[in-house]
Protein backbone atom coordinates (compact mmCIF):
# COMPACT_ATOMS: atom_id res chain seq x y z
CA UNK A 1 0.00 0.00 0.00
CA UNK A 2 2.92 2.40 0.63
CA UNK A 3 3.77 2.38 -3.09
CA UNK A 4 0.17 3.04 -4.12
CA UNK A 5 -0.11 5.89 -1.61
CA UNK A 6 3.16 7.35 -2.91
CA UNK A 7 1.86 7.28 -6.46
CA UNK A 8 -1.48 8.85 -5.48
CA UNK A 9 0.34 11.53 -3.52
CA UNK A 10 2.22 12.52 -6.67
CA UNK A 11 -1.04 12.57 -8.64
CA UNK A 12 -3.44 14.12 -6.13
CA UNK A 13 -1.31 16.13 -3.69
CA UNK A 14 -0.57 15.92 0.02
CA UNK A 15 -4.15 15.17 1.12
CA UNK A 16 -6.24 12.66 -0.77
CA UNK A 17 -9.14 10.38 0.00
CA UNK A 18 -10.78 7.27 -1.38
CA UNK A 19 -13.72 5.07 -0.55
CA UNK A 20 -13.85 1.28 -0.21
CA UNK A 21 -17.37 -0.10 0.14
CA UNK A 22 -19.00 2.37 2.47
CA UNK A 23 -15.81 3.34 4.28
CA UNK A 24 -14.12 6.63 3.45
CA UNK A 25 -10.38 6.95 4.01
CA UNK A 26 -8.21 10.08 4.09
CA UNK A 27 -4.44 9.94 3.76
CA UNK A 28 -2.34 12.76 5.26
CA UNK A 29 1.03 13.13 3.58
CA UNK A 30 2.12 16.46 5.02
CA UNK A 31 3.36 17.17 8.54
CA UNK A 32 1.24 20.29 9.13
CA UNK A 33 -2.01 18.54 8.19
CA UNK A 34 -1.07 15.51 10.30
CA UNK A 35 -0.30 17.73 13.29
CA UNK A 36 -3.46 19.81 12.79
CA UNK A 37 -5.74 16.79 12.75
CA UNK A 38 -4.15 13.93 14.66
CA UNK A 39 -2.40 16.02 17.34
CA UNK A 40 -4.32 19.28 17.75
CA UNK A 41 -7.76 17.77 17.16
CA UNK A 42 -6.97 14.64 19.14
CA UNK A 43 -10.43 14.78 20.72
CA UNK A 44 -11.85 13.88 17.27
CA UNK A 45 -9.15 11.75 15.59
CA UNK A 46 -8.01 9.27 18.25
CA UNK A 47 -10.22 6.30 17.54
CA UNK A 48 -9.56 3.23 15.40
CA UNK A 49 -11.54 1.80 12.50
CA UNK A 50 -13.90 -0.99 13.50
CA UNK A 51 -12.27 -4.45 13.27
CA UNK A 52 -15.01 -7.02 13.60
CA UNK A 53 -12.91 -10.17 13.44
CA UNK A 54 -9.52 -9.34 14.96
CA UNK A 55 -10.78 -7.00 17.65
CA UNK A 56 -14.35 -7.85 18.50
CA UNK A 57 -14.51 -11.63 18.04
CA UNK A 58 -10.92 -12.82 18.39
CA UNK A 59 -9.93 -10.40 21.14
CA UNK A 60 -13.28 -9.88 22.88
CA UNK A 61 -12.70 -6.14 22.48
CA UNK A 62 -9.73 -6.26 24.87
CA UNK A 63 -6.73 -5.42 22.68
CA UNK A 64 -6.06 -1.73 23.15
CA UNK A 65 -4.18 -1.32 19.89
CA UNK A 66 -7.44 -1.71 17.95
CA UNK A 67 -9.78 -0.35 20.65
CA UNK A 68 -12.15 2.53 19.90
CA UNK A 69 -11.42 5.79 21.70
CA UNK A 70 -13.25 6.07 25.04
CA UNK A 71 -13.07 5.21 28.75
CA UNK A 72 -12.08 1.60 28.27
CA UNK A 73 -9.18 2.60 25.99
CA UNK A 74 -8.12 5.34 28.45
CA UNK A 75 -7.78 2.79 31.25
CA UNK A 76 -5.85 0.42 28.97
CA UNK A 77 -3.62 3.27 27.86
CA UNK A 78 -2.95 4.26 31.48
CA UNK A 79 -1.52 0.80 32.08
CA UNK A 80 0.78 1.25 29.06
CA UNK A 81 1.79 4.66 30.35
CA UNK A 82 2.52 3.36 33.85
CA UNK A 83 4.84 0.72 32.45
CA UNK A 84 6.39 2.57 29.53
CA UNK A 85 6.71 6.28 30.31
CA UNK A 86 10.08 7.99 30.18
CA UNK A 87 10.77 7.45 33.91
CA UNK A 88 9.33 3.94 34.20
CA UNK A 89 11.60 2.62 31.46
CA UNK A 90 14.69 3.46 33.52
CA UNK A 91 13.79 0.42 35.61
CA UNK A 92 14.43 -1.82 32.57
CA UNK A 93 17.84 -0.40 31.65
CA UNK A 94 19.72 -2.91 33.79
CA UNK A 95 18.03 -5.85 32.06
CA UNK A 96 18.55 -4.31 28.59
CA UNK A 97 22.23 -3.71 29.36
CA UNK A 98 22.85 -7.28 30.49
CA UNK A 99 20.95 -8.83 27.59
CA UNK A 100 22.84 -6.69 25.08
CA UNK A 101 26.11 -8.07 26.48
CA UNK A 102 24.84 -11.54 25.61
CA UNK A 103 24.14 -10.35 22.04
CA UNK A 104 27.73 -9.14 21.70
CA UNK A 105 29.07 -12.45 22.91
CA UNK A 106 26.86 -14.30 20.43
CA UNK A 107 28.15 -12.10 17.61
CA UNK A 108 31.75 -12.57 18.73
CA UNK A 109 31.37 -16.34 18.84
CA UNK A 110 29.88 -16.13 15.35
CA UNK A 111 27.41 -18.93 15.85
CA UNK A 112 25.72 -17.97 12.57
CA UNK A 113 22.64 -17.11 14.58
CA UNK A 114 22.82 -13.33 14.60
CA UNK A 115 19.11 -12.98 13.84
CA UNK A 116 18.13 -15.40 16.59
CA UNK A 117 20.33 -13.58 19.06
CA UNK A 118 18.81 -10.18 18.30
CA UNK A 119 15.30 -11.65 18.30
CA UNK A 120 15.94 -13.23 21.71
CA UNK A 121 17.21 -9.90 23.03
CA UNK A 122 14.12 -8.02 21.86
CA UNK A 123 11.74 -10.71 23.12
CA UNK A 124 13.44 -10.92 26.50
CA UNK A 125 13.31 -7.16 26.95
CA UNK A 126 9.60 -7.10 26.12
CA UNK A 127 8.69 -10.01 28.41
CA UNK A 128 10.85 -8.41 31.08
CA UNK A 129 8.68 -5.31 30.77
CA UNK A 130 5.40 -7.24 30.76
CA UNK A 131 6.18 -9.83 33.46
CA UNK A 132 9.71 -9.28 34.81
CA UNK A 133 10.60 -12.47 32.96
CA UNK A 134 13.80 -13.39 31.13
CA UNK A 135 13.73 -15.33 27.84
CA UNK A 136 16.70 -17.66 27.54
CA UNK A 137 15.70 -19.11 24.19
CA UNK A 138 12.94 -18.63 21.69
CA UNK A 139 11.62 -22.16 22.23
CA UNK A 140 10.39 -21.08 25.68
CA UNK A 141 6.69 -22.11 25.91
CA UNK A 142 5.77 -18.64 27.20
CA UNK A 143 7.28 -17.11 24.07
CA UNK A 144 5.68 -19.63 21.75
CA UNK A 145 2.22 -19.14 23.24
CA UNK A 146 2.56 -15.39 22.83
CA UNK A 147 3.74 -15.70 19.24
CA UNK A 148 0.80 -17.95 18.36
CA UNK A 149 -1.61 -15.33 19.76
CA UNK A 150 0.15 -12.46 17.95
CA UNK A 151 0.15 -14.34 14.63
CA UNK A 152 -3.56 -15.23 14.94
CA UNK A 153 -4.31 -11.54 15.48
CA UNK A 154 -2.25 -10.57 12.44
CA UNK A 155 -3.94 -13.22 10.29
CA UNK A 156 -7.39 -12.08 11.40
CA UNK A 157 -6.46 -8.60 10.14
CA UNK A 158 -5.67 -9.71 6.59
CA UNK A 159 -7.89 -7.76 4.18
CA UNK A 160 -10.47 -9.86 2.37
CA UNK A 161 -10.09 -12.90 4.58
CA UNK A 162 -13.47 -12.57 6.34
CA UNK A 163 -16.73 -11.58 4.65
CA UNK A 164 -18.10 -10.31 7.96
CA UNK A 165 -15.43 -7.57 8.00
CA UNK A 166 -17.04 -5.99 4.92
CA UNK A 167 -20.57 -7.08 5.86
CA UNK A 168 -20.92 -6.71 9.66
CA UNK A 169 -24.63 -7.29 9.09
CA UNK A 170 -23.72 -10.99 9.21
CA UNK A 171 -23.42 -10.55 12.99
CA UNK A 172 -27.22 -10.37 13.01
CA UNK A 173 -27.39 -14.04 12.07
CA UNK A 174 -28.13 -16.36 14.99
CA UNK A 175 -24.77 -17.18 16.60
CA UNK A 176 -24.89 -20.85 15.60
CA UNK A 177 -25.19 -19.78 11.93
CA UNK A 178 -22.14 -17.49 12.10
CA UNK A 179 -19.80 -20.05 10.50
CA UNK A 180 -16.66 -17.90 11.01
CA UNK A 181 -17.12 -17.55 14.78
CA UNK A 182 -16.18 -20.92 16.35
CA UNK A 183 -12.43 -21.10 15.49
CA UNK A 184 -11.97 -17.46 16.49
CA UNK A 185 -13.63 -17.99 19.84
CA UNK A 186 -11.54 -21.09 20.42
CA UNK A 187 -8.39 -19.07 19.73
CA UNK A 188 -9.63 -16.34 22.07
CA UNK A 189 -10.16 -18.84 24.89
CA UNK A 190 -6.58 -20.02 24.41
CA UNK A 191 -5.17 -16.47 24.39
CA UNK A 192 -7.17 -15.53 27.47
CA UNK A 193 -5.82 -18.57 29.27
CA UNK A 194 -2.25 -17.72 28.19
CA UNK A 195 -2.42 -14.10 29.36
CA UNK A 196 -4.17 -14.77 32.67
CA UNK A 197 -1.78 -17.62 33.49
CA UNK A 198 1.20 -15.29 33.02
CA UNK A 199 -0.38 -12.59 35.15
CA UNK A 200 -1.20 -15.03 37.94
CA UNK A 201 2.34 -16.36 37.93
CA UNK A 202 3.68 -12.87 38.57
CA UNK A 203 1.12 -12.40 41.38
CA UNK A 204 2.16 -15.67 43.01
CA UNK A 205 5.81 -14.70 42.86
CA UNK A 206 5.08 -11.23 44.24
CA UNK A 207 3.23 -12.83 47.18
CA UNK A 208 6.23 -15.08 47.74
CA UNK A 209 8.31 -11.91 48.12
CA UNK A 210 9.94 -11.91 44.70
CA UNK A 211 9.14 -9.27 42.15
CA UNK A 212 10.80 -7.18 39.49
CA UNK A 213 9.43 -3.83 38.34
CA UNK A 214 7.22 -4.62 35.37
CA UNK A 215 3.79 -3.80 33.98
CA UNK A 216 2.19 -6.75 35.78
CA UNK A 217 3.45 -5.62 39.20
CA UNK A 218 2.49 -1.98 38.53
CA UNK A 219 -1.13 -3.06 38.03
CA UNK A 220 -1.11 -4.78 41.43
CA UNK A 221 -0.25 -1.66 43.37
CA UNK A 222 -1.94 1.66 44.12
CA UNK A 223 -5.15 0.87 42.23
CA UNK A 224 -3.12 0.28 39.07
CA UNK A 225 -5.81 -2.03 37.71
CA UNK A 226 -8.34 0.88 37.83
CA UNK A 227 -11.17 -1.54 38.51
CA UNK A 228 -10.62 -3.51 35.30
CA UNK A 229 -11.31 -7.25 35.42
CA UNK A 230 -8.41 -9.69 35.71
CA UNK A 231 -8.81 -10.66 32.05
CA UNK A 232 -8.78 -7.05 30.89
CA UNK A 233 -5.63 -6.37 32.91
CA UNK A 234 -4.05 -9.55 31.53
CA UNK A 235 -4.68 -8.38 27.94
CA UNK A 236 -3.39 -4.87 28.71
CA UNK A 237 -0.18 -6.17 30.27
CA UNK A 238 0.45 -8.43 27.26
CA UNK A 239 0.17 -5.55 24.72
CA UNK A 240 3.92 -4.88 24.30
CA UNK A 241 4.38 -8.39 22.97
CA UNK A 242 2.41 -7.86 19.76
CA UNK A 243 3.41 -4.20 19.35
CA UNK A 244 7.02 -4.12 20.53
CA UNK A 245 8.90 -7.10 19.12
CA UNK A 246 8.75 -6.98 15.30
CA UNK A 247 9.04 -3.18 15.39
CA UNK A 248 12.19 -3.05 17.53
CA UNK A 249 13.72 -6.05 15.77
CA UNK A 250 13.16 -4.42 12.40
CA UNK A 251 14.70 -1.14 13.62
CA UNK A 252 17.82 -3.01 14.72
CA UNK A 253 18.04 -4.75 11.34
CA UNK A 254 17.69 -1.46 9.46
CA UNK A 255 20.35 0.10 11.70
CA UNK A 256 22.75 -2.68 10.71
CA UNK A 257 21.83 -2.25 7.03
CA UNK A 258 22.53 1.50 7.28
CA UNK A 259 25.83 0.91 9.07
CA UNK A 260 26.94 -1.61 6.43
CA UNK A 261 25.99 0.65 3.53
CA UNK A 262 27.53 3.80 4.99
CA UNK A 263 30.98 2.89 6.33
CA UNK A 264 32.18 6.50 6.51
CA UNK A 265 29.22 7.51 8.67
CA UNK A 266 29.69 4.42 10.81
CA UNK A 267 33.31 5.43 11.41
CA UNK A 268 32.22 8.85 12.69
CA UNK A 269 29.89 7.15 15.20
CA UNK A 270 32.66 4.76 16.23
CA UNK A 271 35.13 7.61 16.74
CA UNK A 272 32.62 9.37 18.99
CA UNK A 273 32.07 6.20 21.02
CA UNK A 274 35.82 5.55 21.33
CA UNK A 275 36.46 9.08 22.61
CA UNK A 276 33.76 8.83 25.29
CA UNK A 277 34.01 5.17 26.34
CA UNK A 278 37.64 4.16 25.79
CA UNK A 279 38.61 0.50 25.47
CA UNK A 280 38.18 -0.92 28.94
CA UNK A 281 34.44 -1.24 29.16
CA UNK A 282 31.31 -1.49 27.05
CA UNK A 283 29.17 1.63 26.45
CA UNK A 284 26.34 2.05 28.95
CA UNK A 285 23.21 4.17 29.23
CA UNK A 286 25.24 6.67 31.27
CA UNK A 287 27.14 7.47 28.06
CA UNK A 288 24.00 8.20 26.05
CA UNK A 289 23.95 11.96 26.64
CA UNK A 290 27.59 12.24 25.58
CA UNK A 291 26.96 10.47 22.26
CA UNK A 292 24.92 12.90 20.14
CA UNK A 293 26.12 11.47 16.83
CA UNK A 294 25.00 7.98 17.83
CA UNK A 295 21.62 9.42 18.85
CA UNK A 296 21.38 11.18 15.46
CA UNK A 297 22.38 7.94 13.70
CA UNK A 298 19.48 6.13 15.38
CA UNK A 299 17.01 8.94 14.60
CA UNK A 300 18.13 8.83 10.97
CA UNK A 301 17.59 5.05 10.82
CA UNK A 302 14.01 5.54 12.01
CA UNK A 303 13.54 8.32 9.44
CA UNK A 304 15.29 6.64 6.52
CA UNK A 305 13.33 3.39 6.82
CA UNK A 306 10.41 3.86 9.25
CA UNK A 307 9.30 0.39 10.30
CA UNK A 308 5.56 1.14 10.50
CA UNK A 309 5.34 3.25 7.34
CA UNK A 310 1.59 3.88 7.44
CA UNK A 311 1.32 3.99 11.24
CA UNK A 312 -1.92 2.43 12.46
CA UNK A 313 -5.02 4.10 11.01
CA UNK A 314 -6.96 6.49 13.22
CA UNK A 315 -10.71 7.13 12.90
CA UNK A 316 -12.87 10.23 13.42
CA UNK A 317 -15.46 10.11 16.20
CA UNK A 318 -17.52 13.04 14.88
CA UNK A 319 -18.02 15.15 11.75
CA UNK A 320 -15.36 17.78 11.08
CA UNK A 321 -14.15 20.09 8.31
CA UNK A 322 -10.58 20.81 7.30
CA UNK A 323 -9.26 22.90 4.39
CA UNK A 324 -12.64 22.66 2.71
CA UNK A 325 -12.92 18.89 3.15
CA UNK A 326 -15.91 17.54 5.05
CA UNK A 327 -14.70 14.66 7.18
CA UNK A 328 -17.53 12.47 8.41
CA UNK A 329 -17.65 10.54 11.67
CA UNK A 330 -16.14 7.09 11.10
CA UNK A 331 -13.71 8.27 8.39
CA UNK A 332 -10.43 6.37 8.53
CA UNK A 333 -7.40 8.67 8.70
CA UNK A 334 -3.86 7.58 7.86
CA UNK A 335 -0.88 9.62 8.98
CA UNK A 336 1.48 8.52 6.23
CA UNK A 337 4.79 8.23 8.07
CA UNK A 338 6.50 7.07 4.90
CA UNK A 339 5.53 10.26 3.05
CA UNK A 340 6.40 12.56 5.98
CA UNK A 341 9.83 11.08 6.53
CA UNK A 342 10.64 11.33 2.80
CA UNK A 343 9.34 14.89 2.41
CA UNK A 344 12.18 16.92 0.83
CA UNK A 345 10.94 20.17 2.39
CA UNK A 346 11.56 18.67 5.83
CA UNK A 347 14.45 16.40 4.90
CA UNK A 348 16.52 17.67 1.97
CA UNK A 349 17.79 14.77 -0.15
CA UNK A 350 15.59 12.33 1.74
CA UNK A 351 17.06 9.31 -0.05
CA UNK A 352 20.46 10.02 1.56
CA UNK A 353 21.28 8.47 4.93
CA UNK A 354 22.57 11.46 6.84
CA UNK A 355 22.55 11.59 10.67
CA UNK A 356 24.01 15.12 10.48
CA UNK A 357 20.58 16.45 9.48
CA UNK A 358 19.55 16.06 13.13
CA UNK A 359 22.58 17.92 14.50
CA UNK A 360 23.56 21.55 14.78
CA UNK A 361 21.87 24.86 15.51
CA UNK A 362 19.85 25.04 12.31
CA UNK A 363 17.70 21.97 12.84
CA UNK A 364 14.03 22.61 12.00
CA UNK A 365 12.32 23.08 15.42
CA UNK A 366 9.70 20.50 14.35
CA UNK A 367 12.44 17.88 14.27
CA UNK A 368 14.07 18.44 17.64
CA UNK A 369 11.75 15.93 19.29
CA UNK A 370 11.61 13.66 16.29
CA UNK A 371 8.76 11.25 16.94
CA UNK A 372 7.11 10.95 13.49
CA UNK A 373 8.07 7.25 13.13
CA UNK A 374 6.14 6.53 16.33
CA UNK A 375 2.79 7.88 15.19
CA UNK A 376 0.57 10.69 16.31
CA UNK A 377 -1.47 12.44 18.97
CA UNK A 378 -3.11 10.51 21.75
CA UNK A 379 -2.35 7.18 20.05
CA UNK A 380 1.39 7.86 19.71
CA UNK A 381 3.43 4.73 20.42
CA UNK A 382 3.67 4.35 24.21
CA UNK A 383 6.68 2.05 23.75
CA UNK A 384 8.91 4.57 21.98
CA UNK A 385 11.17 5.26 24.97
CA UNK A 386 11.90 1.63 25.53
CA UNK A 387 12.33 0.98 21.79
CA UNK A 388 14.89 3.77 21.52
CA UNK A 389 16.73 2.54 24.60
CA UNK A 390 16.93 -1.01 23.22
CA UNK A 391 18.20 0.33 19.91
CA UNK A 392 20.76 2.60 21.56
CA UNK A 393 22.32 -0.01 23.81
CA UNK A 394 22.62 -2.67 21.09
CA UNK A 395 23.84 -0.37 18.32
CA UNK A 396 26.27 1.65 20.47
CA UNK A 397 27.79 -1.58 21.76
CA UNK A 398 28.01 -3.27 18.37
CA UNK A 399 29.73 -0.19 16.93
CA UNK A 400 32.10 -0.03 19.91
CA UNK A 401 33.11 -3.66 19.55
CA UNK A 402 32.99 -4.53 15.86
CA UNK A 403 33.60 -3.53 12.32
CA UNK A 404 30.58 -4.63 10.34
CA UNK A 405 31.28 -6.47 7.11
CA UNK A 406 29.19 -8.16 4.42
CA UNK A 407 28.37 -11.84 4.94
CA UNK A 408 30.52 -14.69 3.57
CA UNK A 409 29.03 -14.20 0.09
CA UNK A 410 30.42 -10.63 0.07
CA UNK A 411 27.01 -9.20 -0.87
CA UNK A 412 25.85 -6.00 0.82
CA UNK A 413 22.17 -5.63 1.74
CA UNK A 414 19.86 -3.60 -0.47
CA UNK A 415 18.16 -0.73 1.38
CA UNK A 416 15.30 -0.83 -1.13
CA UNK A 417 14.52 -4.51 -0.62
CA UNK A 418 12.02 -5.24 2.13
CA UNK A 419 8.99 -7.30 3.07
CA UNK A 420 6.09 -6.75 5.45
CA UNK A 421 5.37 -8.59 8.70
CA UNK A 422 1.81 -7.44 9.35
CA UNK A 423 2.17 -3.65 9.59
CA UNK A 424 5.95 -3.76 10.03
CA UNK A 425 8.41 -3.19 7.18
CA UNK A 426 11.48 -5.40 7.55
CA UNK A 427 14.61 -5.47 5.39
CA UNK A 428 14.86 -8.42 3.00
CA UNK A 429 17.02 -11.16 4.58
CA UNK A 430 20.71 -10.28 4.47
CA UNK A 431 23.90 -11.61 5.98
CA UNK A 432 26.67 -9.76 7.72
CA UNK A 433 29.75 -10.62 9.69
CA UNK A 434 31.69 -8.85 12.40
CA UNK A 435 35.37 -8.38 13.19
CA UNK A 436 36.49 -7.29 16.65
CA UNK A 437 37.91 -3.77 16.37
CA UNK A 438 40.69 -4.43 18.89
CA UNK A 439 41.80 -7.24 21.24
CA UNK A 440 40.34 -5.36 24.21
CA UNK A 441 36.89 -5.80 22.69
CA UNK A 442 37.20 -9.58 22.94
CA UNK A 443 38.45 -9.44 26.51
CA UNK A 444 35.81 -6.97 27.69
CA UNK A 445 32.94 -8.87 26.05
CA UNK A 446 34.08 -12.11 27.67
CA UNK A 447 34.50 -10.54 31.12
CA UNK A 448 31.24 -8.60 31.05
CA UNK A 449 29.48 -11.59 29.46
CA UNK A 450 30.45 -13.84 32.38
CA UNK A 451 29.13 -11.22 34.80
CA UNK A 452 25.89 -10.87 32.81
CA UNK A 453 25.29 -14.65 33.00
CA UNK A 454 25.30 -14.42 36.78
CA UNK A 455 23.23 -11.24 37.07
CA UNK A 456 20.59 -12.34 34.55
CA UNK A 457 19.54 -15.17 36.87
CA UNK A 458 17.59 -12.51 38.80
CA UNK A 459 15.08 -12.43 35.92
CA UNK A 460 14.78 -16.20 35.50
CA UNK A 461 11.90 -18.21 36.90
C1 LIG B 1 11.12 1.24 16.92
C2 LIG B 1 10.13 0.56 17.42
C3 LIG B 1 8.69 0.99 17.34
C4 LIG B 1 8.05 1.77 16.41
C5 LIG B 1 8.66 2.44 15.19
C6 LIG B 1 6.67 1.86 16.81
C7 LIG B 1 5.71 2.57 16.11
C8 LIG B 1 4.37 2.62 16.47
C9 LIG B 1 3.35 3.30 15.72
C10 LIG B 1 3.57 4.05 14.41
C11 LIG B 1 2.18 3.15 16.38
C12 LIG B 1 0.81 3.70 15.95
C13 LIG B 1 0.62 5.10 16.51
C14 LIG B 1 -0.65 5.77 16.01
O1 LIG B 1 -1.71 5.14 16.01
O2 LIG B 1 -0.59 6.96 15.61
C15 LIG B 1 2.44 2.36 17.56
C16 LIG B 1 1.49 2.00 18.50
C17 LIG B 1 1.76 1.24 19.61
N1 LIG B 1 3.01 0.81 20.03
FE1 LIG B 1 4.76 1.08 19.07
N2 LIG B 1 6.49 1.15 17.97
C18 LIG B 1 7.70 0.62 18.34
C19 LIG B 1 7.97 -0.13 19.46
C20 LIG B 1 7.08 -0.39 20.46
C21 LIG B 1 7.39 -1.04 21.70
C22 LIG B 1 8.80 -1.52 22.11
C23 LIG B 1 6.22 -1.15 22.41
C24 LIG B 1 5.98 -1.72 23.77
C25 LIG B 1 6.92 -2.04 24.64
C26 LIG B 1 5.17 -0.56 21.61
C27 LIG B 1 3.85 -0.47 21.97
C28 LIG B 1 2.84 0.12 21.20
C29 LIG B 1 1.43 0.08 21.56
C30 LIG B 1 0.83 -0.61 22.80
C31 LIG B 1 0.75 0.81 20.57
C32 LIG B 1 -0.75 1.09 20.47
C33 LIG B 1 -1.10 2.45 21.07
C34 LIG B 1 -2.58 2.80 21.01
O3 LIG B 1 -3.30 2.30 20.14
O4 LIG B 1 -3.00 3.63 21.84
N3 LIG B 1 5.73 -0.10 20.44
N4 LIG B 1 3.79 2.07 17.60
Amino acid sequence: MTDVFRQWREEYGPLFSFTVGTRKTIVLNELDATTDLLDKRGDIYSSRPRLVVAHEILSGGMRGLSMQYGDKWRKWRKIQHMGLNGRAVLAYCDHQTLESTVVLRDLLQDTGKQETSLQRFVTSVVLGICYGYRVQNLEDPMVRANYVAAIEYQKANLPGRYLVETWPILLWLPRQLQWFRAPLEKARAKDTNTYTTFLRRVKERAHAGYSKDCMATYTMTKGGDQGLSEVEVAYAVSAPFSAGIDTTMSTLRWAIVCALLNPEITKIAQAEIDAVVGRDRLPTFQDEAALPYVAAFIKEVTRFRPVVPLAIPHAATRDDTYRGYVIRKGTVVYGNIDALTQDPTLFPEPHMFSPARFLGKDVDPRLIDFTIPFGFGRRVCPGMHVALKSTFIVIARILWAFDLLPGPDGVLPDADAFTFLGLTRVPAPFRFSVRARHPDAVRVIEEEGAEADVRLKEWQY
Side-chain angles (χ1 to χ4, degrees):
M1 215 144 74
T2 41
D3 288 347
V4 178
F5 282 4
R6 196 171 295 169
Q7 207 180 316
W8 288 355
R9 180 182 190 273
E10 275 160 29
E11 262 174 68
Y12 305 113
L15 263 72
F16 60 79
S17 66
F18 60 93
T19 305
V20 178
T22 53
R23 187 177 274 181
K24 182 139 188 189
T25 297
I26 293 186
V27 184
L28 310 171
N29 300 286
E30 182 204 80
L31 185 59
D32 288 343
T34 312
T35 310
D36 286 345
L37 296 187
L38 303 187
D39 289 343
K40 295 186 186 155
R41 298 189 196 175
D43 54 326
I44 304 178
Y45 294 98
S46 296
S47 205
R48 295 281 192 220
R50 184 176 183 194
L51 286 181
V52 175
V53 177
H55 185 70
E56 294 174 17
I57 307 180
L58 177 65
S59 313
M62 286 181 287
R63 280 187 209 277
L65 189 82
S66 41
M67 217 178 254
Q68 309 281 306
Y69 188 61
D71 276 350
K72 200 170 158 192
W73 171 79
R74 264 187 221 100
K75 288 185 178 178
W76 171 88
R77 180 82 190 193
K78 199 167 168 192
I79 293 179
Q80 309 308 311
H81 181 74
M82 272 193 297
L84 298 170
N85 71 67
R87 275 176 68 83
V89 300
L90 300 179
Y92 315 129
C93 285
D94 197 19
H95 186 212
Q96 283 166 304
T97 305
L98 296 167
E99 292 290 21
S100 66
T101 315
V102 177
V103 171
L104 292 195
R105 192 176 49 199
D106 288 346
L107 294 182
L108 183 67
Q109 290 170 352
D110 193 16
T111 51
K113 294 192 177 145
Q114 300 152 332
E115 284 277 309
T116 316
S117 178
L118 288 169
Q119 184 86 23
R120 190 205 60 78
F121 165 84
V122 171
T123 312
S124 192
V125 167
V126 162
L127 284 189
I129 291 166
C130 300
Y131 308 110
Y133 180 77
R134 173 172 196 228
V135 173
Q136 293 182 73
N137 69 70
L138 295 170
E139 296 311 310
D140 182 322
M142 189 151 170
V143 174
R144 295 193 71 82
N146 258 308
Y147 271 118
V148 169
I151 288 167
E152 286 300 322
Y153 180 71
Q154 263 180 25
K155 280 205 251 167
N157 262 322
L158 287 177
R161 186 172 162 135
Y162 290 96
L163 204 58
V164 65
E165 203 64 64
T166 329
W167 300 102
I169 198 166
L170 291 170
L171 294 173
W172 290 75
L173 285 170
R175 277 175 98 87
Q176 64 275 21
L177 294 183
Q178 294 179 22
W179 69 95
F180 43 84
R181 188 174 273 279
L184 294 165
E185 289 192 338
K186 201 168 153 204
R188 175 164 111 211
K190 222 165 132 196
D191 296 349
T192 305
N193 183 42
T194 301
Y195 299 146
T196 43
T197 305
F198 294 159
L199 187 65
R200 282 179 193 164
R201 246 196 249 171
V202 181
K203 282 185 187 162
E204 282 160 18
R205 282 173 60 80
H207 287 140
Y210 178 95
S211 72
K212 282 273 170 209
D213 284 338
C214 62
M215 283 171 69
T217 54
Y218 294 150
T219 61
M220 290 174 213
T221 49
K222 297 183 201 144
D225 66 4
Q226 306 161 82
L228 293 170
S229 69
E230 184 190 39
V231 180
E232 286 170 322
V233 171
Y235 268 80
V237 164
S238 76
F241 196 95
S242 43
I245 291 186
D246 291 345
T247 43
T248 312
M249 181 65 194
S250 183
T251 305
L252 290 174
R253 284 189 183 119
W254 282 117
I256 292 169
V257 169
C258 293
L260 279 163
L261 294 178
N262 299 280
E264 294 311 316
I265 288 174
T266 305
K267 276 190 200 131
I268 301 176
Q270 286 174 320
E272 180 184 73
I273 298 169
D274 290 349
V276 171
V277 178
R279 288 192 168 187
D280 278 335
R281 62 175 182 85
L282 296 177
T284 67
F285 284 112
Q286 276 77 47
D287 301 314
E288 207 174 353
L291 298 172
Y293 196 84
V294 174
F297 181 98
I298 291 170
K299 274 187 189 172
E300 179 65 349
V301 170
T302 65
R303 183 210 65 85
F304 182 70
R305 287 295 178 268
V307 298
V308 195
L310 295 177
I312 301 174
H314 291 218
T317 43
R318 59 181 148 87
D319 291 355
D320 190 25
T321 51
Y322 183 67
R323 295 189 192 171
Y325 275 96
V326 176
I327 302 171
R328 297 269 174 230
K329 176 178 173 176
T331 300
V332 177
V333 185
Y334 278 94
N336 187 351
I337 293 177
D338 195 49
L340 305 186
T341 52
Q342 303 305 312
D343 180 347
T345 62
L346 272 177
F347 304 102
E349 299 193 278
H351 53 284
M352 301 292 289
F353 180 78
S354 170
R357 66 173 88 243
F358 287 103
L359 295 169
K361 291 193 302 300
D362 301 329
V363 175
D364 183 326
R366 291 175 298 176
L367 303 182
I368 290 171
D369 284 328
F370 175 64
T371 59
I372 296 170
F374 293 96
F376 312 100
R378 299 180 191 186
R379 300 299 289 230
V380 70
C381 173
M384 71 177 152
H385 305 291
V386 87
L388 290 172
K389 289 220 167 284
S390 283
T391 310
F392 166 78
I393 200 72
V394 171
I395 295 304
R397 289 179 152 206
I398 287 182
L399 296 183
W400 175 87
F402 303 120
D403 283 322
L404 294 172
L405 307 163
D409 49 10
V411 178
L412 280 168
D414 176 356
D416 292 319
F418 51 80
T419 49
F420 274 89
L421 263 184
L423 296 169
T424 311
R425 177 163 61 183
V426 297
F430 66 95
R431 297 176 73 187
F432 70 99
S433 50
V434 298
R435 185 178 55 212
R437 291 181 58 223
H438 39 75
D440 291 323
V442 178
R443 173 182 58 80
V444 171
I445 291 171
E446 279 166 2
E447 282 169 14
E448 294 202 23
E451 208 182 311
D453 287 341
V454 176
R455 296 261 347 268
L456 279 165
K457 292 201 168 69
E458 290 171 33
W459 280 267
Q460 272 159 234
Y461 62 90

